[in-house]
Amino acid sequence: DIDQSLWRKIEASLNDVFDSYMWAFFPSEKGKPTITEDWHRVCDVSMPAFMNYFNTMTLAYREQIIHRIQTWSSPFNNLIKESTGLDIERQLSIIFWIEEELQRGFDRFYDARDAFKGESAKFDGKVAQTDLTRQTAQERIPDHSVFAAKKFLDAAIDQLYIVEASALHAAFPDESEAFVKQFAARRGEYPKYFYPTEENPAETHPLFIADDGTIFCPASRMLLLALMRQIEKFLRTSSEKARFFKHRDLCLENQTADVLEAFPVVDKRVFRNVCETPEGNLEHDLLIQAGRTFLVVECKATAQKAPFRDPEKAYMRIRHDFRGDGGIQKAYDQAERLRKILLSDGTKRLW
């Protein structure tokens, strides 16, 4: 069993592991005399990128994650079902059911806690009318309802974060086995996970199965994140990779346009997929006009790549991605070109 002392040792060891990565971005005593401005420039960029990538969870809230899952995967639902045995909506239905089950467990805990507090107050009031200590009173009045309330509370605590396998199977008799296989992990199932910079199996399989078959779900939100990660990983390595990237870009464009179109601006006009030539070349995602003011929007949905541990290599990858077709620099260059056209003299023609 793991006691508090061992937990603290594990926590300290894990913190040491993660902290050790930071030292790659600081000069060693031996290398200090050769430190240059270029070295500082490289580390100023690569260190925060590295630490952010491996230490920051997806900041999207629950509804945003669900929206991404549904919109990104909708054209590929049959392909996903062939691979996993479950379509997206069915997987989401099971996750929603697990969320509700976990919430019911917390509701039982809160009810048991409040009942125990009430019974404890009654018991203390009864003890106050005697000359007994609380411990002695517990021995002489063993049938008081406070003890039953304590057992009820202990049982509720023991059931927190647990998903009953039998209840899951009863609710989804045809899909529960495939779902557990897709999202659950058992002790020792991923022995090769060693470096914190590798894909964490706990993030892709957030259901943990104990030796006795009990299913634990420490964080239901992780199920949604795991589903999103699995879908994206599967599609970007599938035969539909190019179509998925194009569809993901279009989803971002549409979502951005919907947000901007909702702004209460008088005489606003929104133009999507504006081109500089009648042949459809030099396209811009969004052009918004409000009187004599124009807003040029370029959307990029490219995911950030994992930075290298070596600062120099990490910097080169970040710079390459920044300047690539799906990068921020390319978006700026596109928008800047259209800005110059709009500010130039004479008539402007866009298609």
Side-chain angles (χ1 to χ4, degrees):
D1 293 340
I2 300 178
D3 57 19
Q4 288 297 320
S5 176
L6 184 55
W7 269 123
R8 285 192 292 270
K9 185 177 180 181
I10 292 172
E11 181 183 4
S13 298
L14 289 174
N15 285 331
D16 287 343
V17 169
F18 278 94
D19 290 344
S20 66
Y21 280 92
M22 290 192 297
W23 295 112
F25 302 96
F26 289 91
S28 63
E29 289 297 325
K30 185 178 180 180
K32 276 185 178 180
T34 61
I35 295 302
T36 63
E37 287 298 321
D38 282 345
W39 187 91
H40 280 290
R41 177 174 54 84
V42 165
C43 288
D44 283 347
V45 173
S46 57
M47 178 181 175
F50 182 93
M51 301 307 294
N52 177 74
Y53 185 89
F54 291 108
N55 292 286
T56 304
M57 293 290 294
T58 301
L59 299 180
Y61 55 80
R62 179 178 180 273
E63 288 74 16
Q64 287 176 321
I65 298 172
I66 295 171
H67 182 264
R68 285 186 190 179
I69 292 171
Q70 292 175 324
T71 55
W72 288 5
S73 63
S74 56
F76 313 98
N77 203 22
N78 291 335
L79 186 65
I80 293 170
K81 185 175 182 179
E82 289 177 8
S83 175
T84 65
L86 298 169
D87 63 32
I88 292 301
E89 290 303 323
R90 203 57 177 162
Q91 293 184 59
L92 285 173
S93 296
I94 297 175
I95 291 175
F96 297 158
W97 181 87
I98 290 175
E99 289 178 334
E100 292 173 356
E101 280 292 293
L102 295 176
Q103 184 58 54
R104 280 191 281 271
F106 275 99
D107 291 341
R108 287 191 294 269
F109 163 72
Y110 294 137
D111 291 342
R113 180 198 61 185
D114 294 342
F116 176 69
K117 285 183 178 180
E119 294 299 331
S120 292
K122 293 178 183 178
F123 183 75
D124 290 341
K126 191 171 183 179
V127 172
Q129 298 174 6
T130 70
D131 295 330
L132 302 175
T133 64
R134 199 175 198 280
Q135 182 176 354
T136 304
Q138 290 175 352
E139 296 171 355
R140 295 188 181 182
I141 320 174
D143 59 342
H144 193 279
S145 54
V146 70
F147 303 111
K150 180 63 166 61
K151 291 180 180 179
F152 184 55
L153 175 60
D154 290 341
I157 292 175
D158 288 341
Q159 291 300 308
L160 290 176
Y161 306 109
I162 288 180
V163 179
E164 294 291 346
S166 58
L168 177 62
H169 180 72
F172 303 94
D174 300 324
E175 300 98 346
S176 60
E177 184 176 347
F179 183 87
V180 170
K181 181 180 178 180
Q182 183 177 343
F183 290 101
R186 296 178 181 273
R187 187 191 301 273
E189 190 171 348
Y190 295 93
K192 294 183 179 180
Y193 175 61
F194 187 76
Y195 294 102
T197 51
E198 295 175 345
E199 182 179 71
N200 188 342
E203 294 181 356
T204 54
H205 300 78
L207 295 179
F208 306 132
I209 303 180
D211 295 337
D212 62 359
T214 302
I215 301 176
F216 294 90
C217 182
S220 60
R221 182 174 180 269
M222 291 301 299
L223 277 171
L224 289 171
L225 288 172
L227 177 56
M228 185 173 71
R229 288 191 180 97
Q230 288 186 20
I231 291 172
E232 186 174 13
K233 182 179 180 180
F234 170 70
L235 291 176
R236 60 181 163 83
T237 56
S238 72
S239 59
E240 296 287 349
K241 176 175 66 174
R243 193 161 73 96
F244 166 64
F245 288 149
K246 186 175 182 179
H247 174 71
R248 188 181 64 180
D249 291 346
L250 181 61
C251 288
L252 178 61
E253 290 177 24
N254 290 336
Q255 187 177 6
T256 305
D258 291 342
V259 170
L260 294 174
E261 284 178 342
F263 274 60
V265 179
V266 179
D267 297 330
K268 176 184 62 184
R269 302 173 69 189
V270 178
F271 304 94
R272 302 191 187 196
N273 307 120
V274 176
C275 299
E276 296 179 26
T277 70
E279 293 79 21
N281 298 324
L282 303 175
E283 180 183 329
H284 302 274
D285 295 331
L286 291 170
L287 176 62
I288 301 173
Q289 179 186 7
R292 294 178 57 83
T293 301
F294 288 87
L295 178 64
V296 182
V297 181
E298 302 292 351
C299 303
K300 300 297 180 184
T302 304
Q304 179 187 359
K305 294 179 181 177
F308 291 114
R309 291 192 289 270
D310 182 273
E312 290 281 355
K313 292 181 179 179
Y315 178 82
M316 296 299 293
R317 166 172 277 189
I318 293 168
R319 187 176 67 176
H320 179 270
D321 292 345
F322 190 85
R323 296 176 177 177
D325 285 343
I328 298 174
Q329 184 64 52
K330 181 62 178 292
Y332 174 82
D333 293 341
Q334 289 175 294
E336 176 65 8
R337 188 173 60 245
L338 182 54
R339 186 185 76 88
K340 289 180 178 179
I341 292 174
L342 294 172
L343 293 177
S344 62
D345 297 331
T347 303
K348 290 83 176 174
R349 292 177 64 89
L350 299 170
W351 288 264

